[in-house]
Amino acid sequence: MAQITAALVKELREKSGAGMMDAKKALVEVDGDMDAAIDWLRKKGLSKAAKKADRVAAEGLVAVKAEERGAGMAAAAVEVNAETDFVARNELFQNAVAEVAGLAIGANDLASLKAAQTSAGKSVDDTMTDLIAQIGENMSVRRAETLSVDPGVVAAYVHNAAGDGMGKIGVLVALKSEGDKAVLADLGRKVAMHVAAASPAPALAVHEGELDQAVVEKERQVFADQARESGKPEQIIEKMVEGRLRKFYEEVVLLKQVFVFDTDKTVGEALKAAEAEAGAPIELSGFVRMVLGEGVEKKEEDFAAEVAAVAKG
């Protein structure tokens, strides 16, 4: 009997798109013959995934999950993509996404998340491959981000919810504080809703110092070029640039944004005002805003050309 090596299993997985256990079983069944193993998988309907792998997957779900850890909390946001919005309402897909979000809390990075074992004893990667075969669409775990705080709370919010803790926009907000957990949870959820609303612009950082200096310098240069068009003296231009930079900070620094729940206050001022009720200082230590399909280049489908290609084939 042929020796079924890990390299052989890996080669079959890459050629067929089948899961690891299915690939190994196929090789065992045909005594290590690669071509016969591919045929075996095709007959069993387990090699469908390979045919879907080049399709653009920009739909799907963003899911958030949070859990208490001692006096603090840990949470994760994940994006799992599929090809169509229809799949986002599929119960099998939703259950898989929920489990991936839970596993993401303990994962160090995307690679370790994809290798993590699900409740069915399969890796997340293999679970996705199985789902591709079952549902018939390309799908993948695109990204994951985590937040933790101790002591305090991590509030989670989902906009355009399609299921429990999942939708098109997912937000996490970490509030570090020894204050009343109920007060912190309510405040955190409101700040998370503010972050989801992203008006007038999505926050890029909690504090000014966290902003990418390359972004700041680029804005400074644009403002300077605009001001020089007015023909004013350099000392006036410098003041104009500083004024426009302050406005820029008010738009993209979360603590400086006007709070959507109380437009008389900034987010930072709202946190400060809540300290009396919470009974302790409150620090906004981090946030995550994840939007479904953000940055994915969607392929424009030409249905007529597709039909013509099929007719010719």
Side-chain angles (χ1 to χ4, degrees), residues 196-243:
S199 179
L204 300 178
V206 175
H207 307 279
E208 281 182 36
E210 293 180 353
L211 283 171
D212 184 338
Q213 287 308 299
V215 172
V216 175
E217 287 308 311
K218 181 180 178 183
E219 291 299 315
R220 184 187 297 275
Q221 188 59 52
V222 169
F223 294 151
D225 291 344
Q226 290 173 342
R228 286 192 181 93
E229 290 290 323
S230 66
K232 290 184 169 58
E234 280 299 315
Q235 62 268 30
I236 300 297
I237 289 172
E238 188 175 333
K239 290 180 180 179
M240 290 172 67
V241 169
E242 291 306 314

Side-chain angles (χ1 to χ4, degrees), residues 83-276:
E83 292 178 56
T84 66
D85 183 55
F86 179 76
V87 170
R89 300 188 293 275
N90 183 294
E91 188 176 357
L92 282 174
F93 183 70
Q94 288 192 358
N95 290 341
V97 172
E99 186 163 17
V100 170
L103 289 169
I105 296 175
N108 295 322
D109 50 34
L110 189 59
S112 61
L113 172 58
K114 290 183 176 183
Q117 296 292 299
T118 67
S119 57
K122 292 187 175 184
S123 70
V124 168
D125 232 3
D126 285 343
T127 299
M128 287 295 111
T129 299
D130 290 346
L131 273 177
I132 293 170
Q134 286 179 272
I135 296 175
E137 283 195 12
N138 185 26
M139 56 187 71
S140 65
V141 180
R142 182 186 176 210
R143 53 180 169 160
E145 293 190 49
T146 59
L147 272 185
S148 61
V149 67
D150 187 13
V153 304
V154 180
Y157 172 72
V158 168
H159 191 63
N160 287 338
D164 186 24
M166 59 187 74
K168 291 188 178 294
I169 301 176
V171 178
L172 302 174
V173 169
L175 298 180
K176 188 174 184 178
S177 176
E178 294 180 344
D180 186 292
K181 287 288 182 73
V183 174
L184 295 174
D186 180 64
L187 177 62
R189 180 172 172 79
K190 286 178 179 175
V191 175
M193 292 173 76
H194 168 99
V195 172
S199 179
L204 300 178
V206 175
H207 307 279
E208 281 182 36
E210 293 180 353
L211 283 171
D212 184 338
Q213 287 308 299
V215 172
V216 175
E217 287 308 311
K218 181 180 178 183
E219 291 299 315
R220 184 187 297 275
Q221 188 59 52
V222 169
F223 294 151
D225 291 344
Q226 290 173 342
R228 286 192 181 93
E229 290 290 323
S230 66
K232 290 184 169 58
E234 280 299 315
Q235 62 268 30
I236 300 297
I237 289 172
E238 188 175 333
K239 290 180 180 179
M240 290 172 67
V241 169
E242 291 306 314
R244 291 177 184 180
L245 270 178
R246 281 196 297 273
K247 179 67 175 174
F248 170 70
Y249 289 142
E250 288 170 5
E251 290 184 352
V252 301
V253 174
L254 180 53
L255 291 176
K256 290 180 175 291
Q257 288 185 336
V258 175
F259 192 34
V260 295
F261 284 90
D262 185 349
T263 54
D264 291 329
K265 294 184 177 72
T266 63
V267 172
E269 289 167 346
L271 263 63
K272 192 68 179 174
E275 291 180 349

Side-chain angles (χ1 to χ4, degrees), residues 288-306:
V288 171
R289 183 177 189 267
M290 193 173 287
V291 180
L292 178 67
E294 193 173 43
V296 177
E297 187 176 341
K298 298 185 181 181
K299 191 183 295 182
E300 294 296 325
E301 299 295 339
D302 187 337
F303 184 66
E306 189 176 321

